[in-house]
Amino acid sequence: MSIFVDENTKVIYQGLTGSQGRYYGLSNRAYGTNVVGGTNPKKAGTDVDGIPIFASVADAVRETGANASCIFIPAPGVRDAVMEAAEGGVEFIACITEGVPAHDEAWFFNKLKRDFPNVRLLGPNCPGIISPGRCNIGITAGHIAKPGGPVGIVSRSGTLTYQALYELQQQDIGVTTCVGIGGDPVPGTSFIDCLQAFEADPDTKAVMMIGEIGGSAEEEAAEFIKNHMTKPVSAYIAGGTAPAGKKMGHAGAIVSGGKGTAQAKMEALRDAGVRIGLNPTEAGAHMVDIVRSL
Amino acid sequence: MDLYEYQGKQFFARFGIPVSAGGVASTVDEAVAIAERVGYPVVVKAQVQVGGRGKAGGIKLANSADEVRTHAGNILGMDIKGHIVHVVWIEVASDIAEEYYASFTLDRSAKKYLGMLSAQGGVEIEAVAEENPDAIAKIWVDPVDGLTDAVAREWVAAAKLNPAATEGTVDILQKLYRAYTEGDADLVEINPLILKPTGEVHALDAKVSLDANSLFRHADYEAYDATQVRDQRETEAHEKGLQYVGLEGSVGVIANGAGLAMSTVDIVNQVGGKPANFLDIGGGSNAAVMAGALEVINNDPNVRSIFINIFGGITKGEEVANGIVQALASVTIDAPIVIRLDGTNADEGRAILAGHLSDKLQMAPDMLTAARKAVELAGGTPK
C-alpha cells in the first residue's frame, strides 16, 4: 500500500509545455506514473511527446478522468493554478514551484480548507511524492528508491530525502511512500497529515521524518507521535548550528525570537520516543536498526 | 528583507498610517536642513537594524540647529552592536500621552495571521509576553475573510486602551492590515503606537520585514533589496544569485540543496570545526554555478579549507564531477578542497574526479569522513 497516491492515480501537469514541466512530466511517465495530460490555454489541442494538452484543468479532468495535478507554473501564477486545479475537480495537487509569496500560500491554504476540504495540497516548494514502483509525481529520482516497504518517509528537505531513500536502498530496505512536504512557511500538507496516513497504512511499519529549523511543525508532530502513533519513528533535524535570524535557503528555515531551534525540536521528538540521528547518516542507521528488529 | 525605520515609515505612509514629518540624512548639513524644514524640536535617530539604539545613545532630542549638528555628528559613524550608522532619520518630536503596541505576522502553526495589540507599548513585546501575557490582546485573522471593522473594534476594546484612542487605533489597524497583506510583509510592527495629548493616534516607530518572494509584483522593492545589510561575501554571492549566509569559521561549505547545506554546516560543527558559510548551489551540475560558488568562497580570507558535499538525484554523478572539474579549471582556488560525492552514478563521478586528485583536491567516501578531513585541513583537530 501507499499513502495519498498509487498506480491508479491519473496525473495532469500544469505547465507541461514549459522546460521544467516537460522534463519532469516525461521523467515521471517513464517511471510508470499514469500521466494523462497537461494544461496550457494557448496550446490546447497540441501534445507533448504524445501527452495531450488541454485548455484548463476542468477540460483535462472531463476528458481524461484525471484525479491529481502537478504544478510547474512559475511563482506569480501559482495562486490561480492551485485554485484552477481544485475547481477543476482533482483531489490531489503537488505544487513543485518555489518562491511563492507567503501571503498567497496562507490565502489558498485557508481557501482550500473552506471550499475544497477533500482536496489535498502538497507544497509549494516541495520535491513531490513517490510511492516507489507505483507512482512518482514531482522531481525525485525514481531509481534511488526501492519499492515495497516497510518504511514511510516524510521530509521538509529535498536532497536530504533523496539521501534517505538512497541509504535505505543501499541496505535493501523498501519504502511505501516518500512525501516531500516542502520548506515554505505554509505547507499544504503537514508532518501530522503524513504521520496519520502512515499510521493507518498497513504496509508501513516504521516512519522516518526529516525536519529542519523554523516554525513548530516538528513539535506538533512530536505531540501527535506521543499520543497517536504505535509505529516506531526515527528523525533528523537540519540546522542545529544555524545562526538566529537568517533564512537558511528555504523560506521557512529561520530561527526567530529564540523559536524554531533544532534543539527544541529534537527534545520534543525524543520525549515522544523518537530515535534522533545527529546527522542524516546516523538517522538512516537508526532506521536500519528499527527495520531489522521489526 | 528588513527595512530601516525611515523606509518602514515611508512604507506605512503609503497606506495612510500617520507618521511624523521628517527626512533621512547621511551628513550633518543634510540633517540640519531637514530640521529647519520640519521645525524644532526634532529627534535625531540612528538608522540601524538592531534593537537598543536609545540606550546606545543613538536617539537624541534637539532643540536647535546647533544641537542637531552636535547629535548628528556624534551619531553618524557610531558603532551600535557592530552596526555602523550611515544615515540618521530626523523627525519632528511628538508629545506623548500614552504608548501602545500593534503588529501583524504569520502564525505558522495556526496558518492564519496573528494580530497583537497592547496598552503596554514602548518596551520589548517579548518582555510583556513573558511578564504580563494578559496585557496583549491577540486575534487570528483568516486571510480569506480579512480584517473587518467589527473585529477590529472588538480587538481594540479587548486591549483596554484609553477610550480616546479607540477611533484612531481602529483606523490605523485596518491600514496596518492592508500594509501587511497588500504590501506582502512578513512583519509589520508599530512600537510605540502613541496617543497624543491632543487625541490623535500616530506611529512613532516602524518595524517592517518584506517577503523577498513578492518582488515580482512590487518592482519598487528593489530599492529595499539594495539597502539590505550584507557583508562583502554575502553581497558577492547575492549578485551571483547564490543562496549564501556568511558565518565566522574557516571551513568553506558548498552543497546542493538547502537541507543538505544546513546539514553540512551542522556536521562541520559536530566534528569540532567552524564553517565559514552556508551555500546552496541548488540541483543540477552547472559548472558555471559551481565556479561562482568557489569564487565567493575563495574570496573569503578566513577560509582555510573547502568542503563540497554533493548528492546526485536526477543529476548523475558523472555530470556533477565534470561540472566540478570544469569549475576548478576556470578559477584558481587557494584552499584545499575535500569532495564527498554520493547518490546516482556516484562511482562513475568518483572515477572522473580520481584523475584530478592531489593534496589540493581530496575525496572522501561519506559526510563524516569528509567533514573531519576538511576540519583537519583547516588546521583544526577533528573529533
PDB file of all heavy atoms in Angstrom, chain B residues 82-106:
ATOM      1  N   GLY B  82      27.959  46.549  16.640  1.00  0.00           N
ATOM      2  CA  GLY B  82      28.564  46.066  15.403  1.00  0.00           C
ATOM      3  C   GLY B  82      27.951  46.634  14.130  1.00  0.00           C
ATOM      4  O   GLY B  82      28.400  46.323  13.036  1.00  0.00           O
ATOM      5  N   HIS B  83      26.890  47.454  14.273  1.00  0.00           N
ATOM      6  CA  HIS B  83      26.266  48.086  13.106  1.00  0.00           C
ATOM      7  C   HIS B  83      26.704  49.552  13.041  1.00  0.00           C
ATOM      8  O   HIS B  83      26.451  50.311  13.966  1.00  0.00           O
ATOM      9  CB  HIS B  83      24.733  48.021  13.196  1.00  0.00           C
ATOM     10  CG  HIS B  83      24.178  46.626  13.148  1.00  0.00           C
ATOM     11  ND1 HIS B  83      23.393  46.174  12.116  1.00  0.00           N
ATOM     12  CD2 HIS B  83      24.312  45.583  13.996  1.00  0.00           C
ATOM     13  CE1 HIS B  83      23.071  44.908  12.337  1.00  0.00           C
ATOM     14  NE2 HIS B  83      23.607  44.522  13.477  1.00  0.00           N
ATOM     15  N   ILE B  84      27.362  49.928  11.953  1.00  0.00           N
ATOM     16  CA  ILE B  84      27.817  51.310  11.797  1.00  0.00           C
ATOM     17  C   ILE B  84      26.651  52.160  11.268  1.00  0.00           C
ATOM     18  O   ILE B  84      25.947  51.757  10.341  1.00  0.00           O
ATOM     19  CB  ILE B  84      28.999  51.399  10.796  1.00  0.00           C
ATOM     20  CG1 ILE B  84      30.137  50.454  11.218  1.00  0.00           C
ATOM     21  CG2 ILE B  84      29.504  52.841  10.676  1.00  0.00           C
ATOM     22  CD1 ILE B  84      30.802  50.789  12.540  1.00  0.00           C
ATOM     23  N   VAL B  85      26.451  53.327  11.877  1.00  0.00           N
ATOM     24  CA  VAL B  85      25.364  54.220  11.457  1.00  0.00           C
ATOM     25  C   VAL B  85      25.803  55.041  10.244  1.00  0.00           C
ATOM     26  O   VAL B  85      26.722  55.847  10.346  1.00  0.00           O
ATOM     27  CB  VAL B  85      24.954  55.167  12.605  1.00  0.00           C
ATOM     28  CG1 VAL B  85      23.800  56.059  12.156  1.00  0.00           C
ATOM     29  CG2 VAL B  85      24.594  54.378  13.854  1.00  0.00           C
ATOM     30  N   HIS B  86      25.145  54.798   9.104  1.00  0.00           N
ATOM     31  CA  HIS B  86      25.461  55.558   7.893  1.00  0.00           C
ATOM     32  C   HIS B  86      24.452  56.667   7.628  1.00  0.00           C
ATOM     33  O   HIS B  86      24.763  57.638   6.952  1.00  0.00           O
ATOM     34  CB  HIS B  86      25.522  54.624   6.675  1.00  0.00           C
ATOM     35  CG  HIS B  86      26.614  53.604   6.766  1.00  0.00           C
ATOM     36  ND1 HIS B  86      27.943  53.941   6.758  1.00  0.00           N
ATOM     37  CD2 HIS B  86      26.572  52.258   6.913  1.00  0.00           C
ATOM     38  CE1 HIS B  86      28.680  52.842   6.870  1.00  0.00           C
ATOM     39  NE2 HIS B  86      27.866  51.811   6.977  1.00  0.00           N
ATOM     40  N   VAL B  87      23.228  56.492   8.126  1.00  0.00           N
ATOM     41  CA  VAL B  87      22.206  57.529   7.933  1.00  0.00           C
ATOM     42  C   VAL B  87      21.435  57.757   9.239  1.00  0.00           C
ATOM     43  O   VAL B  87      21.318  56.858  10.074  1.00  0.00           O
ATOM     44  CB  VAL B  87      21.199  57.176   6.802  1.00  0.00           C
ATOM     45  CG1 VAL B  87      21.838  57.238   5.445  1.00  0.00           C
ATOM     46  CG2 VAL B  87      20.570  55.820   7.024  1.00  0.00           C
ATOM     47  N   VAL B  88      20.931  58.985   9.377  1.00  0.00           N
ATOM     48  CA  VAL B  88      20.047  59.305  10.505  1.00  0.00           C
ATOM     49  C   VAL B  88      18.699  59.751   9.955  1.00  0.00           C
ATOM     50  O   VAL B  88      18.607  60.266   8.831  1.00  0.00           O
ATOM     51  CB  VAL B  88      20.622  60.418  11.417  1.00  0.00           C
ATOM     52  CG1 VAL B  88      21.795  59.897  12.226  1.00  0.00           C
ATOM     53  CG2 VAL B  88      21.019  61.647  10.610  1.00  0.00           C
ATOM     54  N   TRP B  89      17.673  59.517  10.752  1.00  0.00           N
ATOM     55  CA  TRP B  89      16.332  59.974  10.412  1.00  0.00           C
ATOM     56  C   TRP B  89      16.034  61.143  11.339  1.00  0.00           C
ATOM     57  O   TRP B  89      16.211  61.041  12.555  1.00  0.00           O
ATOM     58  CB  TRP B  89      15.332  58.831  10.602  1.00  0.00           C
ATOM     59  CG  TRP B  89      13.872  59.182  10.579  1.00  0.00           C
ATOM     60  CD1 TRP B  89      13.030  59.221  11.650  1.00  0.00           C
ATOM     61  CD2 TRP B  89      13.076  59.511   9.436  1.00  0.00           C
ATOM     62  NE1 TRP B  89      11.754  59.545  11.249  1.00  0.00           N
ATOM     63  CE2 TRP B  89      11.756  59.736   9.895  1.00  0.00           C
ATOM     64  CE3 TRP B  89      13.361  59.656   8.075  1.00  0.00           C
ATOM     65  CZ2 TRP B  89      10.718  60.090   9.039  1.00  0.00           C
ATOM     66  CZ3 TRP B  89      12.318  60.000   7.223  1.00  0.00           C
ATOM     67  CH2 TRP B  89      11.017  60.217   7.701  1.00  0.00           C
ATOM     68  N   ILE B  90      15.637  62.267  10.757  1.00  0.00           N
ATOM     69  CA  ILE B  90      15.309  63.457  11.545  1.00  0.00           C
ATOM     70  C   ILE B  90      13.799  63.640  11.457  1.00  0.00           C
ATOM     71  O   ILE B  90      13.254  63.750  10.351  1.00  0.00           O
ATOM     72  CB  ILE B  90      15.966  64.728  10.933  1.00  0.00           C
ATOM     73  CG1 ILE B  90      17.440  64.495  10.600  1.00  0.00           C
ATOM     74  CG2 ILE B  90      15.770  65.933  11.851  1.00  0.00           C
ATOM     75  CD1 ILE B  90      18.340  64.304  11.765  1.00  0.00           C
ATOM     76  N   GLU B  91      13.121  63.660  12.609  1.00  0.00           N
ATOM     77  CA  GLU B  91      11.682  63.904  12.538  1.00  0.00           C
ATOM     78  C   GLU B  91      11.244  64.850  13.637  1.00  0.00           C
ATOM     79  O   GLU B  91      11.912  64.992  14.661  1.00  0.00           O
ATOM     80  CB  GLU B  91      10.891  62.585  12.611  1.00  0.00           C
ATOM     81  CG  GLU B  91      10.877  61.946  13.976  1.00  0.00           C
ATOM     82  CD  GLU B  91      10.000  60.680  14.023  1.00  0.00           C
ATOM     83  OE1 GLU B  91       9.725  60.077  12.974  1.00  0.00           O
ATOM     84  OE2 GLU B  91       9.608  60.302  15.148  1.00  0.00           O
ATOM     85  N   VAL B  92      10.107  65.496  13.391  1.00  0.00           N
ATOM     86  CA  VAL B  92       9.573  66.437  14.361  1.00  0.00           C
ATOM     87  C   VAL B  92       9.198  65.654  15.628  1.00  0.00           C
ATOM     88  O   VAL B  92       8.649  64.556  15.567  1.00  0.00           O
ATOM     89  CB  VAL B  92       8.385  67.221  13.740  1.00  0.00           C
ATOM     90  CG1 VAL B  92       7.221  66.303  13.413  1.00  0.00           C
ATOM     91  CG2 VAL B  92       7.942  68.358  14.616  1.00  0.00           C
ATOM     92  N   ALA B  93       9.576  66.186  16.792  1.00  0.00           N
ATOM     93  CA  ALA B  93       9.321  65.492  18.059  1.00  0.00           C
ATOM     94  C   ALA B  93       7.829  65.494  18.372  1.00  0.00           C
ATOM     95  O   ALA B  93       7.119  66.446  18.037  1.00  0.00           O
ATOM     96  CB  ALA B  93      10.093  66.160  19.188  1.00  0.00           C
ATOM     97  N   SER B  94       7.356  64.394  18.997  1.00  0.00           N
ATOM     98  CA  SER B  94       5.923  64.270  19.297  1.00  0.00           C
ATOM     99  C   SER B  94       5.676  64.327  20.793  1.00  0.00           C
ATOM    100  O   SER B  94       6.466  63.813  21.588  1.00  0.00           O
ATOM    101  CB  SER B  94       5.398  62.914  18.799  1.00  0.00           C
ATOM    102  OG  SER B  94       5.542  62.812  17.406  1.00  0.00           O
ATOM    103  N   ASP B  95       4.555  64.953  21.181  1.00  0.00           N
ATOM    104  CA  ASP B  95       4.111  64.883  22.574  1.00  0.00           C
ATOM    105  C   ASP B  95       3.403  63.550  22.753  1.00  0.00           C
ATOM    106  O   ASP B  95       2.589  63.150  21.910  1.00  0.00           O
ATOM    107  CB  ASP B  95       3.137  66.021  22.887  1.00  0.00           C
ATOM    108  CG  ASP B  95       3.860  67.356  22.926  1.00  0.00           C
ATOM    109  OD1 ASP B  95       5.061  67.354  23.269  1.00  0.00           O
ATOM    110  OD2 ASP B  95       3.240  68.377  22.579  1.00  0.00           O
ATOM    111  N   ILE B  96       3.720  62.873  23.845  1.00  0.00           N
ATOM    112  CA  ILE B  96       3.183  61.531  24.056  1.00  0.00           C
ATOM    113  C   ILE B  96       2.339  61.488  25.329  1.00  0.00           C
ATOM    114  O   ILE B  96       2.809  61.866  26.404  1.00  0.00           O
ATOM    115  CB  ILE B  96       4.330  60.502  24.196  1.00  0.00           C
ATOM    116  CG1 ILE B  96       5.191  60.506  22.928  1.00  0.00           C
ATOM    117  CG2 ILE B  96       3.777  59.104  24.473  1.00  0.00           C
ATOM    118  CD1 ILE B  96       6.472  59.711  23.050  1.00  0.00           C
ATOM    119  N   ALA B  97       1.071  61.026  25.185  1.00  0.00           N
ATOM    120  CA  ALA B  97       0.240  60.813  26.370  1.00  0.00           C
ATOM    121  C   ALA B  97       0.354  59.348  26.806  1.00  0.00           C
ATOM    122  O   ALA B  97       0.558  59.059  27.975  1.00  0.00           O
ATOM    123  CB  ALA B  97      -1.221  61.167  26.068  1.00  0.00           C
ATOM    124  N   GLU B  98       0.225  58.444  25.829  1.00  0.00           N
ATOM    125  CA  GLU B  98       0.322  57.021  26.153  1.00  0.00           C
ATOM    126  C   GLU B  98       1.039  56.288  25.023  1.00  0.00           C
ATOM    127  O   GLU B  98       1.025  56.732  23.879  1.00  0.00           O
ATOM    128  CB  GLU B  98      -1.087  56.419  26.341  1.00  0.00           C
ATOM    129  CG  GLU B  98      -1.808  57.014  27.547  1.00  0.00           C
ATOM    130  CD  GLU B  98      -3.112  56.314  27.878  1.00  0.00           C
ATOM    131  OE1 GLU B  98      -3.321  55.184  27.394  1.00  0.00           O
ATOM    132  OE2 GLU B  98      -3.909  56.911  28.621  1.00  0.00           O
ATOM    133  N   GLU B  99       1.641  55.142  25.359  1.00  0.00           N
ATOM    134  CA  GLU B  99       2.364  54.344  24.367  1.00  0.00           C
ATOM    135  C   GLU B  99       1.771  52.946  24.267  1.00  0.00           C
ATOM    136  O   GLU B  99       1.638  52.258  25.274  1.00  0.00           O
ATOM    137  CB  GLU B  99       3.841  54.218  24.769  1.00  0.00           C
ATOM    138  CG  GLU B  99       4.599  55.527  24.699  1.00  0.00           C
ATOM    139  CD  GLU B  99       6.084  55.332  25.000  1.00  0.00           C
ATOM    140  OE1 GLU B  99       6.411  54.982  26.144  1.00  0.00           O
ATOM    141  OE2 GLU B  99       6.898  55.512  24.081  1.00  0.00           O
ATOM    142  N   TYR B 100       1.438  52.522  23.041  1.00  0.00           N
ATOM    143  CA  TYR B 100       0.843  51.215  22.791  1.00  0.00           C
ATOM    144  C   TYR B 100       1.745  50.398  21.862  1.00  0.00           C
ATOM    145  O   TYR B 100       2.791  50.868  21.398  1.00  0.00           O
ATOM    146  CB  TYR B 100      -0.546  51.358  22.144  1.00  0.00           C
ATOM    147  CG  TYR B 100      -1.486  52.270  22.884  1.00  0.00           C
ATOM    148  CD1 TYR B 100      -2.279  53.198  22.193  1.00  0.00           C
ATOM    149  CD2 TYR B 100      -1.600  52.198  24.274  1.00  0.00           C
ATOM    150  CE1 TYR B 100      -3.157  54.022  22.871  1.00  0.00           C
ATOM    151  CE2 TYR B 100      -2.486  53.030  24.959  1.00  0.00           C
ATOM    152  CZ  TYR B 100      -3.259  53.942  24.250  1.00  0.00           C
ATOM    153  OH  TYR B 100      -4.111  54.765  24.915  1.00  0.00           O
ATOM    154  N   TYR B 101       1.260  49.187  21.549  1.00  0.00           N
ATOM    155  CA  TYR B 101       1.992  48.287  20.640  1.00  0.00           C
ATOM    156  C   TYR B 101       0.995  47.642  19.678  1.00  0.00           C
ATOM    157  O   TYR B 101      -0.106  47.250  20.094  1.00  0.00           O
ATOM    158  CB  TYR B 101       2.686  47.176  21.455  1.00  0.00           C
ATOM    159  CG  TYR B 101       3.289  46.084  20.591  1.00  0.00           C
ATOM    160  CD1 TYR B 101       4.627  46.118  20.214  1.00  0.00           C
ATOM    161  CD2 TYR B 101       2.504  45.014  20.137  1.00  0.00           C
ATOM    162  CE1 TYR B 101       5.168  45.129  19.409  1.00  0.00           C
ATOM    163  CE2 TYR B 101       3.047  44.020  19.322  1.00  0.00           C
ATOM    164  CZ  TYR B 101       4.376  44.084  18.971  1.00  0.00           C
ATOM    165  OH  TYR B 101       4.909  43.112  18.169  1.00  0.00           O
ATOM    166  N   ALA B 102       1.344  47.548  18.407  1.00  0.00           N
ATOM    167  CA  ALA B 102       0.486  46.852  17.430  1.00  0.00           C
ATOM    168  C   ALA B 102       1.337  46.131  16.395  1.00  0.00           C
ATOM    169  O   ALA B 102       2.368  46.661  15.954  1.00  0.00           O
ATOM    170  CB  ALA B 102      -0.428  47.851  16.722  1.00  0.00           C
ATOM    171  N   SER B 103       0.929  44.931  16.012  1.00  0.00           N
ATOM    172  CA  SER B 103       1.678  44.207  14.965  1.00  0.00           C
ATOM    173  C   SER B 103       0.820  43.147  14.271  1.00  0.00           C
ATOM    174  O   SER B 103      -0.209  42.715  14.807  1.00  0.00           O
ATOM    175  CB  SER B 103       2.906  43.509  15.565  1.00  0.00           C
ATOM    176  OG  SER B 103       2.512  42.423  16.380  1.00  0.00           O
ATOM    177  N   PHE B 104       1.256  42.777  13.066  1.00  0.00           N
ATOM    178  CA  PHE B 104       0.714  41.609  12.360  1.00  0.00           C
ATOM    179  C   PHE B 104       1.873  40.736  11.890  1.00  0.00           C
ATOM    180  O   PHE B 104       2.884  41.254  11.407  1.00  0.00           O
ATOM    181  CB  PHE B 104      -0.087  42.009  11.114  1.00  0.00           C
ATOM    182  CG  PHE B 104      -1.438  42.553  11.402  1.00  0.00           C
ATOM    183  CD1 PHE B 104      -1.673  43.919  11.311  1.00  0.00           C
ATOM    184  CD2 PHE B 104      -2.489  41.716  11.781  1.00  0.00           C
ATOM    185  CE1 PHE B 104      -2.931  44.433  11.580  1.00  0.00           C
ATOM    186  CE2 PHE B 104      -3.745  42.225  12.045  1.00  0.00           C
ATOM    187  CZ  PHE B 104      -3.974  43.588  11.955  1.00  0.00           C
ATOM    188  N   THR B 105       1.697  39.424  12.043  1.00  0.00           N
ATOM    189  CA  THR B 105       2.670  38.489  11.496  1.00  0.00           C
ATOM    190  C   THR B 105       1.941  37.185  11.199  1.00  0.00           C
ATOM    191  O   THR B 105       0.753  37.063  11.497  1.00  0.00           O
ATOM    192  CB  THR B 105       3.859  38.289  12.468  1.00  0.00           C
ATOM    193  OG1 THR B 105       4.837  37.470  11.847  1.00  0.00           O
ATOM    194  CG2 THR B 105       3.414  37.624  13.758  1.00  0.00           C
ATOM    195  N   LEU B 106       2.652  36.231  10.581  1.00  0.00           N
ATOM    196  CA  LEU B 106       2.021  34.946  10.258  1.00  0.00           C
ATOM    197  C   LEU B 106       2.203  33.987  11.426  1.00  0.00           C
ATOM    198  O   LEU B 106       3.321  33.821  11.911  1.00  0.00           O
ATOM    199  CB  LEU B 106       2.681  34.364   8.997  1.00  0.00           C
ATOM    200  CG  LEU B 106       2.280  32.929   8.617  1.00  0.00           C
ATOM    201  CD1 LEU B 106       0.846  32.884   8.099  1.00  0.00           C
ATOM    202  CD2 LEU B 106       3.230  32.377   7.557  1.00  0.00           C
TER     203      LEU B 106
END
